[in-house]
Amino acid sequence: MTLFGDPATWLPLTFATLMGLSILIYVVLDGFDLGVGVLFPLAEDAEKDRMIASIGPFWDANETWLVLAIGLLLVAFPVAHGTILTALYLPVSVMLIGLILRGVAFEFRVKAPTRWKKPWNRAFFAGSLMTALAQGYMLGIYIMGLQITPMTVGFGALTAVFLTVAYSFIGAAWLILKTEDLLQAKAVRWARGGIFGVILGLGAVSLASPLVSPRIFEKWFSVPEIFLLAPLPLFSVALIAVLWAVLRRLPTRDDSFAWVPFVAAVSLFVLGFFGMAYSFYPYVVPEQLTIYEAASAPESLFIILIGTVFVLPMILGYTVLAYTVFRGKAVTLSYD
Amino acid sequence: MDALLLSRIQFGANISFHILFPTITIALGWVLLFFRLRFNRTGDEAWLEAYRFWVKVFALSFAMGVVSGITMSFQFGTNWPGFMETVGNIAGPLLAYEVLTAFFLEAVFLGIMLFGMSRVPGWLHTLSTFLVAFGTTMSAFWILVLNSWMHTPAGFEMRDGVAHATDWMAIIFNPSMPYRLAHMLLASGLTVAFLIAGISAFRSLLGDRTAGIRRTLRTGIMMGAVLIPVQILAGDMHGLNTLEHQPQKVAAMEGNWDTRGNVPLLLFAIPDEAARENRLEIGIPNGASLILKHHADGVVPGLNDFVAADGTVTHPPVAPVFFSFRIMVGTGMAMLLLSWAAVALMWRRGGVDGLPKPLLLAMVPMAFSGWVATLAGWYTTEIGRQPWLVQGVLTTEAAVADVPAPMVATSLGAYLAVYAALLAAYVGVLFYLARRAAKGEPPEAHIPQSGEAIAIETPAE
Ligand code: HDD
Ligand code: HEM
Ligand code: HEM
């Protein structure tokens, strides 16, 4: 294929983009449902059912984006896949056990005998928390170039906490959108508390990445890049200001503006993600392996690309269908 | 223990746990579609009642399948990086197609199938049920293509120690794929048939004689009775295919040490790999020769052909393959006996009400016979491939990750604890749901709502 020039250049780039896209979609979508799990202990029993009802029809599809992201890493950059996952062996195991616990708790908490409901609620919270913390820790270690030293572990612990707070923030924003009355008012309070964590977290990552890597420092703080990139942090600050203002007025009587926190939170996630993607390009293993060195054979990538081009729009289409079918405020889930 | 052995145990434990639930969901999806269509056609509430009960089992099994499946997809990277580095160009696209064509389809429409009955028109709900069933079957297709390719690789060439695809049709339709796919789909059908029959028999023993339960009991028994002979035939053809491509595996399955004719079919023996002979043999004369070569004096390959001149053994460990094969076939025979006896009695005594109590009692433990046979079958085939990971291309040893053994031991311990607890919870909840349904109680306990303000139902849009 010479249609677009050398496939050894554009195929890895395409796949890196696709992979980045699935990670982004994953972080936003599973972010809100993990966040709902992290907020679980703060709610009353009946509110818990409503919180589950708001994510019940979606969580499985949300997690599938993780499977796609890890699948794309695996198929497009096999060497990087091995390097990254063996370096992150323990946090990956913690995350997987967390995902197992929370995934089955959805089902068990309503199907098991009533006296088991409490323990399953706890499993749902514990699983969500383990997953969020493990993902945050992995993010930190990845930013630190997959090195394990006391300093990087400390930074990892910090990102673990911040990502968990960020997830609970977007989870609270989702609940503001999907619930009403007392629970909605509670969610507004949770979101007000979470916003500080989000600010600190964004700040920590933005400061640490250029400090750790002179290369990233170069990419951001040289002319003209610094001017071209300026909108990124400026937009983020503007969004935070909007969030601040809206959260102080919510909940409104006619439920107007209930969508603003969620949309703003998603936009923040997207901006943060682009900042990171810009910092790390062209590396897939920071400072060690570029996407071009790690890519698999062009003919295999091509086969996948054809499938992706046809299937991805369909997936997006029926995902929209599902969100449309279950739009509006969450009501009690039932099989009828 | 070293990291290799621990990683193998961990992979084996994870995939064994995972496969339990796909085997249920693959066929149960189609059975639910059947219930749903029968209801659409007849308007008979009993079918809807059957649908309502089994959709819960489906949802629970599906969740277990998803979470353990996610674990599986990380295993390649955390424990077997050599696998993707060597055959990633082939395994990658197959796994990617599984995600793209199957997982999203199932996951998205599952939400509508489970919770959408009153939110979407009937046809869309039926269509969602179909798409979920179709999705699970597609995912079985892709993963079995990959697994079959690992047993009988085709359509590739090695360049600098890395496999490159040359012919995708040959890769997908590799020599053992059709047999393995057919055998696995049938295995799933049988697992579900006996699960439905077993749980329905349990409810019936508790005095539940509703129309719904008679329908499902009958469905389970008939399904089992029809599928088991087909499975035996498919298994036989699968074995002949394996004889052609992996003779050392068949030699281990038969416990045959020397290549010769007139090989007996061993019903029992204790293979002794140190002495390279069997102890306590009980067999049917010429049986194995007849089955594998269709002649009493047909020559069957023996394990001693797979020992190199320097004494290196290139055949799989004999005893696990030998015994797990017998467990699978034995379970198949038990299924045949039970389902045909039930059909004969139903025919003579007028339907499921004529089934005697001992037979119903026997069906309850057989509810999980499909699991036993499926696991035993996979152990036969996967251990029978050792020491290879991809037959003739990559050894298991060469693929293992360089992760410290204590780390693998930690994660393995955690997985085993979680799996044991979940398995107990799953089986417990299955029988709990059945007991509640038998008593006519709504399966979901009513939870006292505290904050009434949020318990107000907003009408569905
Ligand atoms: C014969 C069937 C079969 C076999 C041998 C396997 N699977 Fe599987 N898998 C399924 C049949 C299936 C399924 C029925 O399609 C599941 C169950 C629930 C689901 O979502 O799909 C599934 C789920 C499932 C999921 C979760 C999908 C989701 O999020 O919806 C993953 C990531 C995997 N599998 C991966 C694997 C891997 C890496 C395997 C082997 C090494 C494997 N599966 C063996
Ligand atoms: C689903 C049912 C399956 C079961 C119960 C099963 C079971 C096992 C077991 C017990 C082993 C260990 C063999 C040994 O070390 O002696 C193994 C190995 C392996 N199987 Fe499977 N298997 C299944 C399906 C698959 C599929 C579909 C794939 C491919 C996608 C696969 C890929 C592997 C790999 C990579 C290994 C190597 C690791 C090892 O040797 O332990 N298996 N399997
Ligand atoms: C008595 C009849 C049966 C015969 C003759 C038979 C034959 C076989 C053979 C020869 C294999 C090994 C394939 C290989 O070498 O790769 C196998 C594997 C297997 N069997 Fe059976 N089988 C029988 C019954 C069953 C039953 C009742 C089930 C489940 C309900 C089952 C499930 C499996 C599975 C899941 C595998 C592994 C997957 C595969 O390789 O296809 N079998 N069977």
Side-chain angles (χ1 to χ4, degrees):
Chain A
M1 266 308 208
T2 47
L3 203 56
F4 306 102
D6 183 8
T9 318
W10 65 264
L11 269 176
L13 188 59
T14 310
F15 273 87
T17 312
L18 282 173
M19 188 175 85
L21 199 67
S22 353
I23 295 179
L24 176 61
I25 299 180
Y26 170 75
V27 169
V28 168
L29 294 183
D30 215 29
F32 79 69
D33 72 48
L34 284 167
V36 169
V38 173
L39 294 170
F40 223 48
L42 302 179
E44 305 289 325
D45 279 349
E47 294 168 346
K48 290 191 168 109
D49 291 337
R50 190 55 52 101
M51 286 163 79
I52 291 277
S54 78
I55 53 178
F58 310 115
W59 72 272
D60 182 10
N62 293 350
E63 270 178 19
T64 308
W65 289 100
L66 176 65
V67 180
L68 181 63
I70 205 70
L72 285 175
L73 175 64
L74 175 142
V75 302
F77 310 107
V79 188
H81 175 259
T83 315
I84 295 175
L85 287 186
T86 43
L88 298 175
Y89 189 91
L90 281 185
V92 166
S93 309
V94 172
M95 174 185 79
L96 292 173
I97 290 180
L99 284 173
I100 293 176
L101 284 180
R102 73 187 296 270
V104 300
F106 270 100
E107 294 295 328
F108 278 122
R109 61 186 291 286
V110 285
K111 293 190 176 66
T114 320
R115 73 195 134 87
W116 284 100
K117 189 164 177 175
K118 270 218 163 60
W120 282 117
N121 278 345
R122 256 177 243 135
F124 182 67
F125 163 68
S128 307
L129 186 66
M130 280 164 77
T131 309
L133 287 173
Q135 287 178 357
Y137 177 78
M138 289 191 269
L139 176 70
I141 298 292
Y142 182 83
I143 292 176
M144 294 283 142
L146 297 177
Q147 306 299 323
I148 310 284
T149 65
M151 207 272 282
T152 61
V153 171
F155 183 72
L158 214 62
T159 44
V161 173
F162 286 138
L163 191 72
T164 307
V165 174
Y167 280 172
S168 21
F169 178 74
I170 197 172
W174 170 259
L175 289 174
I176 297 175
L177 174 68
K178 295 294 278 186
T179 62
E180 46 208 337
D181 303 325
L182 281 178
L183 182 53
Q184 192 187 34
K186 265 193 184 173
V188 172
R189 258 179 279 137
W190 296 334
R192 278 186 207 143
I195 195 159
F196 293 103
V198 175
I199 298 171
L200 286 175
L202 276 176
V205 172
S206 319
L207 283 181
S209 323
L211 286 184
V212 181
S213 154
R215 188 184 56 79
I216 295 180
F217 190 87
E218 258 318 272
K219 284 187 88 168
W220 284 83
F221 298 106
S222 48
V223 185
E225 279 82 351
I226 189 160
F227 296 113
L228 295 174
L229 291 167
L232 222 64
L234 291 183
F235 259 127
S236 310
V237 172
L239 279 169
I240 290 178
V242 169
L243 274 170
W244 196 282
V246 168
L247 283 176
R248 281 186 42 206
R249 286 176 182 73
L250 281 175
T252 48
R253 193 153 298 146
D254 57 355
D255 207 35
S256 55
F257 299 107
W259 54 272
V260 175
F262 187 66
V263 172
V266 172
S267 317
L268 264 182
F269 273 56
V270 173
L271 289 177
F273 185 83
F274 273 106
M276 293 239 335
Y278 174 76
S279 297
F280 287 107
Y281 176 82
Y283 287 96
V284 55
V285 180
E287 321 298 331
Q288 292 178 35
L289 205 60
T290 67
I291 54 173
Y292 305 103
E293 294 159 350
S296 6
E299 56 272 36
S300 291
L301 289 182
F302 210 77
I303 284 281
I304 309 174
L305 189 62
I306 297 172
T308 314
V309 166
F310 281 101
V311 182
L312 207 57
M314 279 159 60
I315 294 175
L316 290 173
Y318 54 68
T319 305
V320 170
L321 172 72
Y323 277 87
T324 316
V325 167
F326 296 102
R327 71 186 176 281
K329 298 290 177 186
V331 295
T332 311
L333 279 189
S334 82
Y335 286 151
D336 302 323
Chain B
M1 276 202 263
D2 61 344
L4 173 64
L5 188 57
L6 286 166
S7 291
R8 286 174 65 182
I9 297 176
Q10 176 164 312
F11 189 91
N14 278 334
I15 187 94
S16 302
F17 185 73
H18 175 60
I19 191 68
L20 297 179
F21 304 101
T23 17
I24 291 182
T25 52
I26 295 166
L28 190 53
W30 294 107
V31 172
L32 284 174
L33 183 65
F34 168 75
F35 289 161
R36 175 78 225 206
L37 288 174
R38 294 298 297 163
F39 170 70
N40 287 358
R41 169 83 48 94
T42 61
D44 182 348
E45 286 287 327
W47 289 114
L48 197 59
E49 195 191 308
Y51 181 93
R52 289 224 173 96
F53 180 82
W54 285 100
V55 82
K56 293 193 178 76
V57 178
F58 184 86
L60 188 61
S61 315
F62 202 93
M64 302 276 274
V66 170
V67 295
S68 55
I70 292 175
T71 315
M72 291 309 307
S73 55
F74 278 87
Q75 294 265 306
F76 288 116
T78 50
N79 296 73
W80 307 101
F83 180 72
M84 273 295 150
E85 280 160 26
T86 313
V87 299
N89 287 326
I90 288 150
L94 298 176
L95 289 169
Y97 270 81
E98 186 184 8
V99 179
L100 288 170
T101 62
F103 289 163
F104 276 107
L105 197 68
E106 304 165 90
V108 174
F109 284 98
L110 182 76
I112 302 181
M113 168 180 168
L114 293 182
F115 308 118
M117 211 191 249
S118 61
R119 284 192 165 228
V120 299
W123 64 266
L124 182 53
H125 187 253
T126 311
L127 179 68
S128 302
T129 310
F130 166 77
L131 287 174
V132 170
F134 179 73
T136 52
T137 309
M138 281 303 283
S139 105
F141 172 81
W142 289 114
I143 198 73
L144 288 171
V145 167
L146 172 55
N147 183 264
S148 304
W149 185 85
M150 291 165 64
H151 286 268
T152 52
F156 71 106
E157 62 183 24
M158 298 301 286
R159 279 183 240 148
D160 306 326
V162 174
H164 285 257
T166 52
D167 179 354
W168 279 102
M169 278 298 138
I171 291 172
I172 295 178
F173 298 97
N174 65 74
S176 64
M177 192 282 281
Y179 301 96
R180 208 178 303 276
L181 178 65
H183 199 57
M184 179 65 220
L185 292 182
L186 286 164
S188 174
L190 282 163
T191 307
V192 168
F194 281 87
L195 183 69
I196 293 183
I199 297 285
S200 305
F202 177 72
R203 282 174 62 176
S204 159
L205 285 167
L206 293 181
D208 184 352
R209 296 281 159 154
T210 50
I213 209 64
R214 289 173 26 219
R215 296 264 155 69
T216 52
L217 186 56
R218 209 182 116 84
T219 309
I221 292 173
M222 295 307 288
M223 197 172 146
V226 170
L227 292 183
I228 186 68
V230 187
Q231 177 70 311
I232 294 177
L233 187 70
D236 180 46
M237 287 164 62
H238 196 349
L240 293 179
N241 179 264
T242 305
L243 178 64
E244 196 183 325
H245 297 278
Q246 296 173 304
Q248 71 284 19
K249 188 193 282 183
V250 173
M253 277 160 29
E254 299 299 341
N256 186 34
W257 296 94
D258 294 307
T259 302
R260 61 196 162 102
N262 303 87
V263 178
L265 179 64
L266 297 181
L267 298 178
F268 184 80
I270 298 178
D272 181 344
E273 233 174 295
R276 304 198 70 76
E277 61 176 25
N278 295 332
R279 283 183 279 129
L280 306 176
E281 268 190 21
I282 307 170
I284 303 171
N286 303 335
S289 289
L290 275 171
I291 290 178
L292 292 167
K293 295 287 177 172
H294 304 294
H295 294 288
D297 55 0
V299 176
V300 174
L303 290 159
N304 291 336
D305 287 5
F306 301 91
V307 182
D310 65 355
T312 334
V313 174
T314 57
H315 63 70
V318 184
V321 178
F322 180 86
F323 285 117
S324 51
F325 183 65
R326 267 148 198 77
I327 293 175
M328 171 177 66
V329 177
T331 315
M333 291 305 160
M335 288 174 162
L336 182 70
L337 211 69
L338 184 69
S339 59
W340 282 30
V343 170
L345 286 169
M346 273 157 60
W347 191 44
R348 293 245 310 273
R349 301 197 190 166
V352 285
D353 294 327
L355 288 177
K357 207 167 169 189
L359 194 104
L360 290 179
L361 275 174
M363 271 181 186
V364 178
M366 283 293 277
F368 298 100
S369 57
W371 276 4
V372 177
T374 306
L375 282 183
W378 277 103
Y379 286 156
T380 309
T381 192
E382 299 282 311
I383 300 176
R385 188 188 54 213
Q386 303 301 317
W388 297 104
L389 185 50
V390 179
Q391 183 78 38
V393 175
L394 176 69
T395 59
T396 310
E397 204 178 343
V400 73
D402 187 15
V403 176
M407 260 203 214
V408 186
T410 313
S411 60
L412 174 62
Y415 284 128
L416 288 180
V418 171
Y419 289 163
L422 288 185
L423 210 54
Y426 178 87
V427 175
V429 164
L430 224 54
F431 282 100
Y432 171 74
L433 288 177
R435 272 201 311 277
R436 288 192 74 89
K439 285 192 228 139
E441 295 168 31
E444 261 116 281
H446 178 74
I447 302 124
Q449 309 272 345
S450 56
E452 272 310 316
I454 50 155
I456 301 163
E457 291 270 353
T458 353
E461 297 178 39

